[in-house]
Amino acid sequence: MWKVMLKEIKELLRDRKTLFFMVALPILVFPLLIGLVMFFAGKAVDKAENKVLDYAVVGAQYAPALVEDLAASDLFNQVMIDEGEDIAAFVKSEQADFVLVIPDNFSEDALQSGQIELSLYLNDAGLNMVRRRLDQIVDVYAERSQQKAFASLELDETQQQALIEPIVIKKVDVADKRENWGEKIGGMIPYFIFMLCLQGAMIPATDLGAGEKERGTLETLLISPIERHKLVLGKFLTIALAGATSALITVSSMAVWGLVISQGMAIKMVSEFMSAINAIDFVLMFLMLVPVVAIFSAVLLSLSIYARSFKEAQGYMTPLVFAVIVPVMLAMLPGVELKGGWAWVPLTNVALAIKELIKGTMDYFQLFAIFSSTAVIAGALLYFCVFWFNKEKVLFR
């Protein structure tokens, strides 16, 4: 068994593609992709903020000062709209980014005119800064009208504030920063970790089963004096080691990059968040991933053994990605917590546990249910894999 495992590991280490998915992807590519996404997202926001918006005004005669302020802004460019033209169609045809309709009761005297409703026609499906820019100009008139009304009513500052907000709810958040951020991002981290573990195990699994068939080396292994269950265990341990290595590197990379970002860039919030997660939490994350990787390895090896070719094995393994996504998505749903039956649901329980560890609210007694359920399933799948490998009609389809 160990000789088979060492042989397979040596062959995997010669494969650059496997090393890429096991090492380079978690350490470099994963953080680089996140950085690129953040970079291009920032560029898109900057572009939207600096874009000059075309606009048209209907009812400009009712608010000449407001129209004049809009025209004076460098971020707006006025276009003309014919009287009676369909405003919605005008905006949809991209002749203007927005159209502002001013009612005939527009006034700076709120007590006389009542509430004024400006109609804003725009295509709000994409990223735009229409409302933010417009509010900066319109809010000046709203505040001026408000102050004029207060002066007429002879209200002091306390009365003004009470009139604006008669009842205020003061929120006292008992959750610390770690718990807040853990709730926000803790659900996504298991998704990335599971995908990387699956990807790290998928390449070697495809090669050790279907790849052996294509190369014609499987027959050589079968006629060797090594018992078949030991052949399976050797291959299984190799795949599991690849997946576990990917898991270890992923968790370590997450910790190291978090510290680098927080310390190197002096981001106080990230620094406080990362420093709150102790080493034991990271160790527990890795240990919980070991039986998960065993489940992945047993399933992947069974599919690879059944496949006639490398390409066919990849076709069987691709749907497995969706089978992994669903349990992780369940862990993100509101009300799904690491309590009761959820602690026994495979994959979902590990995803919930990782989230709880990141939040700092982990109930460590639940680890028994998590390790028990995942270990039993991993053992059953490994037994099936050995049974599958002993069938000649599976090996030589």
Side-chain angles (χ1 to χ4, degrees):
M1 179 180 73
W2 300 113
K3 288 182 179 179
V4 173
M5 180 180 174
L6 289 173
K7 176 189 87 66
E8 303 294 3
I9 289 175
K10 287 179 182 178
E11 290 184 0
L12 286 179
L13 292 176
R14 297 191 189 105
D15 187 357
R16 293 182 179 180
K17 183 166 60 175
T18 303
L19 290 176
F20 172 80
F21 283 107
M22 285 176 55
V23 181
L25 191 66
I27 292 180
L28 298 175
V29 179
F30 182 48
L32 181 62
L33 287 174
I34 293 178
L36 286 173
V37 170
M38 293 177 66
F39 172 76
F40 285 111
K43 293 284 286 185
V45 172
D46 289 340
K47 183 179 179 181
E49 287 179 344
N50 296 316
K51 179 186 176 183
V52 177
L53 300 175
D54 293 330
Y55 74 97
V57 178
V58 175
Q61 67 273 20
Y62 304 124
L66 175 60
V67 174
E68 190 175 317
D69 286 343
L70 286 170
S73 175
D74 295 332
L75 297 175
F76 293 119
N77 176 51
Q78 186 173 8
V79 296
M80 303 309 296
I81 181 173
D82 296 334
E83 187 176 349
E85 187 170 349
D86 187 340
I87 300 175
F90 186 78
V91 175
K92 280 188 175 181
S93 63
E94 298 183 355
Q95 298 182 61
D97 292 298
F98 70 94
V99 174
L100 183 66
V101 179
I102 303 173
D104 56 6
N105 68 329
F106 187 91
S107 169
E108 291 187 21
D109 189 348
L111 295 177
Q112 180 181 355
S113 63
Q115 187 181 56
I116 298 170
E117 183 178 288
L118 299 177
S119 298
L120 177 63
Y121 290 79
L122 77 163
N123 187 340
D124 207 21
L127 178 64
N128 63 73
M129 300 293 173
V130 173
R131 184 62 186 269
R132 183 189 298 181
R133 293 184 192 177
L134 197 59
D135 283 343
Q136 291 176 351
I137 296 175
V138 174
D139 284 351
V140 175
Y141 288 85
E143 186 177 353
R144 192 184 301 164
S145 176
Q146 192 179 70
Q147 292 302 320
K148 186 175 181 180
F150 289 155
S152 299
L153 296 172
E154 297 181 352
L155 302 177
D156 58 30
E157 188 173 342
T158 304
Q159 292 172 321
Q160 293 175 20
Q161 191 64 33
L163 190 61
I164 295 171
E165 294 181 288
I167 300 175
V168 177
I169 297 176
K170 182 181 179 182
K171 183 175 73 173
V172 181
D173 192 356
V174 297
D176 56 24
K177 291 183 179 179
R178 175 182 174 181
E179 188 173 347
N180 271 321
W181 279 99
E183 183 63 35
K184 292 181 176 69
I185 66 173
M188 291 300 299
I189 290 176
Y191 172 81
F192 290 115
I193 293 177
F194 280 25
M195 287 298 103
L196 287 171
C197 291
L198 181 63
Q199 192 70 50
M202 191 178 292
I203 299 299
T206 309
D207 184 67
L208 297 185
E212 292 269 22
K213 287 185 178 181
E214 283 195 338
R215 292 191 298 271
T217 56
L218 183 61
E219 290 83 353
T220 307
L221 278 176
L222 293 175
I223 62 174
S224 66
I226 305 173
E227 296 177 6
R228 289 209 177 177
H229 73 275
K230 291 183 178 179
L231 286 175
V232 176
L233 289 175
K235 291 178 179 294
F236 168 80
L237 289 174
T238 303
I239 299 167
L241 179 62
T245 302
S246 181
L248 177 60
I249 293 174
T250 301
V251 175
S252 302
S253 175
M254 183 174 67
V256 171
W257 277 103
L259 291 172
V260 169
I261 292 173
S262 62
Q263 299 298 328
M265 297 184 178
I267 302 177
K268 184 179 178 181
M269 179 182 63
V270 179
S271 179
E272 291 176 354
F273 175 68
M274 290 304 300
S275 62
I277 305 176
N278 56 48
I280 295 176
D281 292 333
F282 281 109
V283 172
L284 287 174
M285 285 184 204
F286 171 71
L287 290 177
M288 283 189 295
L289 289 173
V290 172
V292 171
V293 169
I295 292 173
F296 291 164
S297 302
V299 173
L300 290 170
L301 183 56
S302 298
L303 292 173
S304 184
I305 291 170
Y306 181 75
R308 293 189 183 93
S309 63
F310 197 95
K311 186 176 181 180
E312 185 179 337
Q314 288 180 322
Y316 291 147
M317 293 176 184
T318 301
L320 192 60
V321 175
F322 298 99
V324 174
I325 290 175
V326 173
V328 179
M329 295 298 291
L330 287 175
M332 298 183 195
L333 295 177
V336 178
E337 299 178 354
L338 192 62
K339 296 177 182 178
W342 287 112
W344 297 90
V345 179
L347 300 185
T348 302
N349 54 6
V350 176
L352 286 170
I354 292 175
K355 181 179 177 180
E356 293 297 320
L357 286 169
I358 293 172
K359 289 170 60 178
T361 56
M362 179 67 186
D363 180 5
Y364 293 97
F365 289 104
Q366 299 288 1
L367 291 174
F368 172 77
I370 295 169
F371 280 108
S372 298
S373 59
T374 50
V376 168
I377 293 171
L381 289 170
L382 179 57
Y383 177 81
F384 172 79
C385 193
V386 174
F387 167 78
W388 204 233
F389 197 83
N390 278 290
K391 286 186 168 292
E392 300 292 333
K393 63 180 181 180
V394 173
L395 295 177
F396 304 105
R397 292 174 59 234

